[in-house]
Amino acid sequence: MSSVSYELIGDIGVIRLNNPPVNALSQGLREGIWGAIKNAQGDASKALVLVCEGRTFIAGADITEFGKPPQAPALSEVIAEIENSCKPVIAAIHGTALGGGFEVALACHYRCAIASAKVGLPEVKLGLLPGAGGTQRTPRLAGVAAALELITKGSPIPASKAKSMKLIDRAIDDDLLEGALAFTRELITNEAPLRRVRDIVIDPDSIPEGLFDDFRKRLEKRSRGQLAPQHIVTCIEAAVHQPFDQGLAKELDLFIECLLSSQSAALRHLFFAERTATKVTGLPKDLPTREIKSVGIIGGGTMGGGIAMNFANVGIPVKLVEIDQTAINRGLAVIDKNYTISMQKGKLTEGQKTHCLSLISGTTDYADLADVDLVIEAVFENMELKQEIFAKLDHSCKPDTILATNTSYQDIDQIAAATNRPQDVIGMHFFSPANVMKLLEVVRGSQSADDVIATAMQLAKTIKKVPVLAINCYGFIGNRMLHPYGRESQLCLIEGSTPEQIDSVMQSWGMAMGPMAVGDLAGLDIGYKARQGLSESGRGDPKTYCIADALVEMGRLGQKSGAGYYRYDPETRARSSDPEVLEVIEAQAKRQGVVRREISDEEILNRLTFALINEGAKILEEGIAQRPSDIDVVYVYGYGFPPHRGGPMHYADSIGLKEIYEKICTFRQQHGDTYWTPAPLLERLAQEGKTFAQWADGKI
Ligand SMILES: NC(=O)c1ccc[n+]([C@@H]2O[C@H](COP(=O)([O-])OP(=O)(O)OC[C@H]3O[C@@H](n4cnc5c(N)ncnc54)[C@H](O)[C@@H]3O)[C@@H](O)[C@H]2O)c1
C-alpha cells in the first residue's frame, strides 16, 4: 500500500501521508510526496493541503537510512517541488514536525498547526545541521536571532511559540483537517499570494553589529568544541548575506562535513545507545512489572530531596522519612527552593509548583510506609545504618514493595541480607543533582527478582531518566571507573601538574568540568571521610590521596568552605587560583619523595581517559555492564563526558584499541604495573584489530 494518497475535496487537493509509526521521511514517502505534488499541478485543485495520518506529522528523517547510499528523490528535490508548486501548498501539522519534517513544512507556502503540536530542528543533537533548507528558511520567517537559538539548541517548541515566531501562520483549535481546509479556503478566496519563503530577503542592515560573533562566543561556552552549532551560525550568516541558492549550497556543504564528522558519528551512537540501554538481556519483553503508585524515600538530604521531586513531577505521591521534624522541615524547604528556582526560570507555573509540593509529605514514622509500592533509601553512606533501615522496611512495608537503595558504593547483597525478601531489593543509583541529572544506574543484586529489575528500568522512563543496568560490585559501573580516573588526576598533580592545568586539559577536551573542580563541588571531605574508614592498605598509595587529605586538614573542603583546590568568591562562587595550593602540592611531593617534572597536556588527557577505558574493559569482561554502549551512556549522562566523543568506549573505538593498548603498555613501563596492567579484553581486541562495538555485536 502506498504511503501517500491524494483526494480532491471540493477545489482543495489533500495529500495524505501514512508511514507509521512516525511518518519518517523514508524513500517511499519522499517519492510519494514528490509525485503527488507533481500530479496535482494540472488537476482541478486550487490549493493543496499536506496532512499526516497517525499520531504525528513527519517526525523527521529516517535515521536508518543514515550512512547508506542516498536514494532518489533527495529531500531537497521534494522540497523544491513543493516550493515551486504553481498552487499554494499548506502544511497541516499535528504531533511533531521535526528535522526534515519541519523543513518540508517550511517549504510549504503556509503552515497551520493544532495547539498540541510541536515543531523544531533537532539535527544539532545528532551533530548535524538541517540540510534541506532549514537554516535558510527559518531566519527568513522568524528572524536571525530566533533562528540562531532554535537551530543551535535543537529543542522542539510548542505551536503557540512557533506562531509567535511567525513559523506557523494559523493555529487550529479542533479538527486539524477541517481547520486546515477552512484556512485554505480563506487563502483561495482572498487570492493570497504564493508565498515562497525563499523569496523573503533579510536586510543585512537590520542585523545588530557583532551579532554572529557574539553568538559564536556564547556557543564556545555552551557547546564547547562542537562543530555543528558553529556551522549552523555560518549557514544563517549565509542566509543574510548570500542569495538563497548560494546559502543552500553552503548549507549542503557544511551538512556533509557534519555528517562525515566523528562528532556526529559519536552523537548518533549515543542516540541508539540510550535506547539500547533500556533493554535487559534475558528478560522477556512482556514480563509483567509491578505498579508504582506511591513512593517512600528515606533521608531528605541532598539526594533524597531531588529524588522525591522526580516522582512528584510525574504525579506520584512521595512520603519522605527523616530522623526528626527539623530534618523534615529542612528537606522540604530545599525542595521548595528548588521548585521556586525552576519557576523563576519559567520551567514551572505557580500552580504546578503547588501541585508538586502537595504530593510530597514528611514523616518520622516507618509505619506510614505500610502501603507504598517502592521505597528508595538515601541516608548516609554507612552499611550498618542502611542494614538497620532495610530491616525496618522489611517489617513495615507490604509484601511486594520494592526496596531500593541509592548507595554509591555499598554492596547491594549485604543490604538485601538485612531483609527476608532479598528478591525485592535493588539499587537505584541517582546522580547529583538528582532532579536534574538524567542517568539512573539500576543495580541488580544477586537475588533481585526479574520483575523488580524490569520495574526499575521502566520506572526510570516514567520519571524521565535514562536507565542503565549494572551488576552489583564496588562502585557499580560509573563510580568504579571514576576511581582510576581520579587516581591518575591525583598522580599527575603530585608528579608535576597543577589543578588549573588538569582541569583546563579535561575541560577543553569537552568534559563538563575538570576533576579538581568536581572534587571541590562535591566536597573533598567526602573522600576524606571514606578513607578514614579504611585500613592503611585499603587506602592505597598515599600519593593518590595525600594532597586531598592535606587540603581537608587545612579546612579546605571545596566550594562549601570557600576553598579547596581553588579559592571561591563567597558572593559569586567564581573560582580563582590559589598559590597556597601549589605550596601544598610541592610539600606533599617532597614528603612522598616525588621529583616534580613538567607534564604535557597530552599525557594528562591520555592517562585520565585511558585509565577510564581500561577499567571499562574490565567491567565488560566481568559482565558488570551489559554492553560497551551502556558504559558510554553512564559517562555521558552521569559524569559530564562530552557527548560528541560518544562516551569512553566509543571514544576508545574511534582512536583504535591497538593505540590505547600500546600507550597503556608504555605507561606500565614508566609507572609500574600496579595501575597499568592492560585489561585482558583490551589486549585481546587490540591484537585482533577489533573494537568494543564489534566485540559486543559478536556476543549479543
Ligand atoms: N551526594 C551525592 O552526590 C550522591 C550521589 C549519588 C548517591 N549518593 C548516595 O546517596 C546517599 C545519601 O547521600 P546524600 O548526599 O543525600 O546525603 P545527605 O547527608 O545530604 O543526606 C542524608 C540524609 O539522611 C538523613 N538520615 C540519616 N539517618 C536517617 C534515618 N535513620 N532515617 C531517616 N533519615 C535519615 C539525614 O538526616 C540526612 O538528611 C548516600 O548513600 C550516598 O552515597 C550521593
Side-chain angles (χ1 to χ4, degrees):
M1 206 183 81
S2 166
S3 52
V4 178
S5 65
Y6 182 77
E7 181 193 5
L8 209 52
I9 301 181
D11 50 8
I12 300 172
V14 176
I15 301 168
R16 281 198 182 83
L17 315 186
N18 188 11
N19 185 24
V22 293
N23 288 310
L25 271 169
S26 42
Q27 190 272 338
L29 197 72
R30 295 197 300 272
E31 193 167 40
I33 302 172
W34 186 80
I37 298 277
K38 219 174 183 51
N39 291 339
Q41 298 304 304
D43 75 3
S45 64
K46 290 193 176 146
L48 305 169
V49 168
L50 196 65
V51 66
C52 288
E53 303 277 342
R55 63 174 200 243
T56 177
F57 192 76
I58 306 166
D62 183 350
I63 197 164
T64 59
E65 287 185 1
F66 281 4
K68 293 187 186 158
Q71 280 182 295
L75 179 56
S76 54
E77 291 172 72
V78 178
I79 278 179
E81 197 64 38
I82 296 173
E83 198 163 49
N84 293 332
S85 163
C86 64
K87 309 167 179 186
V89 184
I90 292 89
I93 301 170
H94 75 296
T96 46
L98 298 179
F102 191 46
E103 288 180 296
V104 166
L106 289 172
C108 293
H109 305 95
Y110 295 91
R111 284 152 295 282
C112 59
I114 53 171
S116 58
K118 285 188 171 173
V119 303
L121 295 164
E123 287 83 349
V124 70
K125 295 188 176 179
L126 295 180
L128 299 170
L129 51 87
T135 65
Q136 302 306 296
R137 292 188 179 89
T138 309
R140 283 177 160 80
L141 283 171
V144 166
L148 283 170
E149 279 299 330
L150 184 77
I151 311 179
T152 57
K153 277 210 178 114
S155 303
I157 53 168
S160 55
K161 183 158 185 208
K163 181 158 183 291
S164 69
M165 289 165 73
K166 302 201 169 75
L167 293 169
I168 300 284
D169 303 293
R170 174 67 59 91
I172 308 273
D173 291 329
D174 299 318
D175 186 274
L176 176 66
L177 184 60
E178 270 187 26
L181 289 173
F183 176 45
T184 306
R185 274 185 219 110
E186 249 179 65
L187 293 170
I188 296 171
T189 311
N190 297 340
E191 293 179 13
L194 198 62
R195 198 188 58 180
R196 294 192 178 102
V197 179
R198 59 173 291 148
D199 295 339
I200 300 172
V201 175
I202 306 171
D203 175 8
D205 294 336
S206 68
I207 310 298
E209 177 99 18
L211 180 86
F212 290 109
D213 288 345
D214 291 348
F215 199 81
R216 280 204 169 86
K217 280 188 199 124
R218 271 173 59 199
L219 282 179
E220 273 162 25
K221 283 197 192 136
R222 198 172 81 193
S223 334
R224 200 164 347 103
Q226 292 194 39
L227 191 68
Q230 296 288 347
H231 279 359
I232 288 167
V233 181
T234 307
C235 290
I236 295 179
E237 214 170 354
V240 177
H241 297 292
Q242 292 177 20
F244 184 82
D245 286 327
Q246 278 182 31
L248 217 50
K250 178 83 185 161
E251 182 192 75
L252 185 61
D253 276 356
L254 295 181
F255 172 79
I256 291 169
E257 193 185 325
C258 286
L259 187 64
L260 300 177
S261 70
S262 60
Q263 294 192 355
S264 177
L267 288 162
R268 279 179 277 140
H269 159 77
L270 273 178
F271 177 88
F272 290 112
E274 185 182 326
R275 279 147 190 82
T276 311
T278 59
K279 298 186 176 72
V280 180
T281 314
L283 285 198
K285 243 180 150 183
D286 51 0
L287 183 74
T289 53
R290 301 189 192 180
E291 208 178 352
I292 307 296
K293 287 193 294 198
S294 62
V295 175
I297 291 173
I298 318 290
T302 311
M303 294 305 289
I307 296 171
M309 291 172 74
N310 289 315
F311 289 99
N313 292 348
V314 295
I316 299 177
V318 179
K319 286 181 183 157
L320 204 62
V321 181
E322 260 292 353
I323 41 174
D324 54 29
Q325 193 58 44
T326 315
I328 294 177
N329 294 346
R330 192 179 52 226
L332 293 178
V334 174
I335 293 174
D336 191 308
K337 192 175 137 203
N338 285 337
Y339 276 128
T340 306
I341 295 172
S342 297
M343 221 176 73
Q344 284 160 351
K345 287 185 183 161
K347 291 182 180 165
L348 204 70
T349 63
E350 175 101 50
Q352 285 167 327
K353 176 190 156 183
T354 311
H355 179 63
C356 288
L357 285 174
S358 75
L359 290 171
I360 306 174
S361 58
T363 178
T364 54
D365 190 356
Y366 280 68
D368 288 340
L369 300 181
D371 284 331
V372 297
D373 302 310
L374 162 74
V375 178
I376 302 174
E377 165 277 314
V379 302
F380 309 128
E381 188 73 345
N382 176 301
M383 178 54 86
E384 276 167 28
L385 177 62
K386 288 189 192 278
Q387 283 190 320
E388 191 187 301
I389 287 172
F390 271 73
K392 274 200 222 167
L393 292 173
D394 190 19
H395 180 73
S396 316
C397 299
K398 65 179 165 65
D400 281 351
T401 295
I402 296 177
L403 306 180
T405 171
N406 180 48
T407 181
S408 308
Y409 288 98
Q410 306 287 345
D411 183 347
I412 308 291
D413 291 337
Q414 237 181 303
I415 296 175
T419 72
N420 291 306
R421 45 167 119 175
Q423 72 282 0
D424 293 338
V425 177
I426 195 161
M428 287 180 76
H429 183 210
F430 291 80
F431 290 72
S432 182
N435 54 319
V436 176
M437 296 293 283
K438 279 187 82 178
L439 180 64
L440 177 67
E441 224 178 356
V442 174
V443 189
R444 81 192 280 176
S446 60
Q447 297 189 61
S448 307
D450 283 355
D451 69 332
V452 170
I453 297 167
T455 304
M457 297 295 283
Q458 196 186 56
L459 189 62
K461 234 178 165 180
T462 310
I463 57 171
K464 303 187 170 73
K465 301 284 174 198
V466 180
V468 171
L469 185 67
I471 283 185
N472 184 29
C473 72
Y474 186 74
F476 321 129
I477 298 173
N479 283 342
R480 175 168 156 183
M481 285 171 66
L482 195 63
H483 198 262
Y485 175 83
R487 176 198 76 215
E488 286 309 310
S489 67
Q490 288 297 315
L491 289 173
C492 286
L493 199 58
I494 200 162
E495 287 170 23
S497 187
T498 60
E500 291 79 5
Q501 185 192 12
I502 294 172
D503 281 349
S504 136
V505 168
M506 296 316 292
Q507 226 182 323
S508 351
W509 183 72
M511 293 298 290
M513 286 171 88
M516 305 296 152
V518 169
D520 275 358
L521 181 68
L524 303 181
D525 53 323
I526 294 182
Y528 182 84
K529 278 189 204 137
R531 283 189 290 278
Q532 293 301 302
L534 297 172
S535 64
E536 200 164 310
S537 67
R539 279 181 231 165
D541 183 349
K543 291 191 205 82
T544 62
Y545 60 79
C546 61
I547 297 170
D549 276 9
L551 291 173
V552 172
E553 281 160 15
M554 290 163 73
R556 304 182 67 116
L557 310 184
Q559 284 201 21
K560 60 183 157 193
S561 71
Y565 290 107
Y566 301 94
R567 189 153 281 289
Y568 295 89
D569 185 294
E571 294 288 306
T572 62
R573 286 203 181 176
R575 79 175 188 221
S576 54
S577 301
D578 189 343
E580 206 173 271
V581 174
L582 193 58
E583 284 169 24
V584 173
I585 297 170
E586 282 169 352
Q588 289 299 324
K590 211 166 169 192
R591 243 176 107 178
Q592 299 295 331
V594 176
V595 180
R596 282 171 58 78
R597 63 186 168 90
E598 194 167 313
I599 300 195
S600 71
D601 290 356
E602 192 191 357
E603 179 178 339
I604 292 171
L605 178 65
N606 287 344
R607 281 175 68 175
L608 268 61
T609 53
F610 292 1
L612 262 185
I613 292 163
N614 201 37
E615 195 65 31
K618 289 182 195 162
I619 279 176
L620 284 176
E621 207 159 26
E622 291 169 28
I624 300 295
Q626 294 193 92
R627 29 184 113 76
S629 59
D630 282 9
I631 297 181
D632 292 333
V633 172
V634 166
Y635 262 77
V636 169
Y637 289 121
Y639 294 84
F641 196 94
H644 62 278
R645 299 198 188 270
M649 308 322 272
H650 177 88
Y651 172 64
D653 281 350
S654 71
I655 33 181
L657 300 190
K658 187 166 177 283
E659 187 179 325
I660 295 175
Y661 170 72
E662 284 167 359
K663 199 84 203 165
I664 288 179
C665 291
T666 311
F667 289 148
R668 177 167 58 186
Q669 278 169 4
Q670 292 166 344
H671 305 283
D673 58 8
T674 317
Y675 303 135
W676 288 112
T677 302
L681 176 64
L682 175 66
E683 180 167 359
R684 178 157 64 83
L685 294 177
Q687 278 159 2
E688 290 172 3
K690 291 203 174 124
T691 61
F692 288 122
Q694 285 168 331
W695 172 79
D697 284 348
K699 196 180 131 210
I700 296 167

